[in-house]
Amino acid sequence: QAATMRLNENILLLGKKVVLVPYTSEHVPRYHEWMKSEELQRLTASEPLTLEQEYSMQQSWREDADKCTFIVMDAEKWQAQPRTTEESCMAGDVNLFLTDPGEPSLGEIEVMIAEPSCRGKGFGTEAVLMMMSYGVTKLGLTKFEAKIGQGNEPSIRMFRKLHFEQVAVSSVFQEVTLRLTVTEHERQWLLEQTSHVEEKRYRDGLSESR
Ligand SMILES: CC(C)(COP(=O)(O)OP(=O)(O)OC[C@H]1O[C@@H](n2cnc3c(N)ncnc32)[C@H](O)[C@@H]1OP(=O)(O)O)[C@@H](O)C(=O)NCCC(=O)NCCS
């Protein structure tokens, strides 16, 4: 199971508003710029890294057996012709972690729409739906958790709209845990929500079919 997390290395997922592509070194400079924002550091509970640390982080994520990362691209920009650089289409990222070796069907999901101009347009929603559908169909996941800072109302609302329910509050970490159990009904809903998504081969920033 664990080794399957490298499954997304050569694929991209094409949605309506966003395209999910694997996180490569090409994406690191923009990612690093985003993470200089104190607001994003606070909202995502991240420590600032040097550019060099960010490159090694990208490398280790890629090799990590229990993590799956996609960069969220603005689909409209990404599909425009003539093609702009992939870096200029980046909107954020979405991650899945297998946090509990004793519970391999549980995935922790994280999303960040880092580009302010990309927020509030449904990008976060579609990215999470696509990632959950990927987790269910490719990784055999049946439960998702999101840990969100107590004050992060936009994120809490988004996950609630995606059928997550609050299961715990940590006053120590000032975060809430939301959970979604994928029943047969939820599975059908998820697959319907993502029935438009196409999987393609991804190589060096290019979709082979273009
Ligand atoms: C939270 C976040 C992922 C939402 O993504 P998004 O693409 O902006 O959100 P969407 O457009 O898909 O909106 C989905 C729902 O989220 C909620 N939401 C989004 N932005 C909101 C805001 N500014 N205020 C209140 N609710 C908001 C709404 O319920 C919205 O549904 P609606 O439009 O029908 O009201 C994104 O704003 C973000 O990354 N913020 C900064 C980093 C962060 O907080 N990450 C989460 C860490 S766990």
Side-chain angles (χ1 to χ4, degrees):
Q1 159 104 35
T4 57
M5 291 310 255
R6 285 195 79 164
L7 244 149
N8 79 332
E9 208 164 47
N10 298 306
I11 67 149
L12 69 86
L13 300 172
L14 189 59
K16 281 199 187 87
K17 298 178 177 182
V18 300
V19 182
L20 305 188
V21 309
Y23 184 32
T24 70
S25 56
E26 192 192 342
H27 307 128
V28 172
R30 174 62 62 95
Y31 196 90
H32 182 246
E33 281 305 311
W34 287 340
M35 297 320 294
K36 286 180 182 166
S37 150
E38 280 175 23
E39 188 202 11
L40 281 181
Q41 287 171 19
R42 181 172 49 79
L43 291 171
T44 59
S46 323
E47 298 291 329
L49 301 178
T50 64
L51 182 59
E52 215 166 57
Q53 288 171 319
E54 204 72 74
Y55 275 107
S56 23
M57 192 65 107
Q58 181 267 327
Q59 200 60 37
S60 82
W61 281 359
R62 185 128 203 172
E63 274 142 34
D64 235 341
D66 55 8
K67 189 164 194 276
C68 179
T69 295
F70 284 105
I71 293 294
V72 179
M73 299 286 170
D74 177 333
E76 200 182 324
K77 284 189 196 158
W78 193 87
Q79 288 181 296
Q81 297 290 346
R83 185 164 198 276
T84 48
T85 64
E86 193 155 85
E87 214 189 342
S88 67
C89 309
M90 289 170 67
D93 73 338
V94 60
N95 304 298
L96 262 183
F97 304 92
L98 302 186
T99 45
D100 186 349
E103 206 175 349
S105 60
L106 169 69
E108 185 178 328
I109 193 158
E110 250 181 29
V111 64
M112 168 177 84
I113 301 302
E115 280 298 322
S117 64
C118 291
R119 293 191 194 142
K121 295 176 167 180
F123 285 22
T125 298
E126 192 182 34
V128 168
L129 284 167
M130 286 164 72
M131 189 57 139
M132 287 202 292
S133 175
Y134 182 81
V136 166
T137 57
K138 297 290 167 72
L139 307 173
L141 301 186
T142 57
K143 260 175 250 150
F144 294 96
E145 264 184 17
K147 293 187 192 301
I148 307 166
Q150 253 167 358
N152 192 346
E153 199 55 41
S155 192
I156 294 172
R157 278 205 204 185
M158 183 186 71
F159 279 102
R160 281 188 179 284
K161 282 193 77 176
L162 292 171
H163 305 180
F164 281 67
E165 285 170 10
Q166 185 166 318
V167 292
V169 182
S170 160
S171 46
V172 179
F173 297 112
Q174 302 219 338
E175 67 180 21
V176 296
T177 301
L178 305 185
R179 183 178 270 230
L180 172 67
T181 301
V182 186
T183 58
E184 189 48 38
H185 181 73
E186 292 289 358
R187 186 188 166 91
Q188 286 310 322
W189 168 77
L190 194 55
L191 296 181
E192 265 168 42
Q193 295 295 306
T194 53
S195 60
H196 61 285
V197 176
E198 288 177 64
E199 181 179 318
K200 297 191 171 181
R201 271 189 68 76
Y202 178 82
R203 181 175 51 80
D204 302 334
L206 283 171
S207 158
E208 283 184 347
S209 61
R210 283 190 301 160

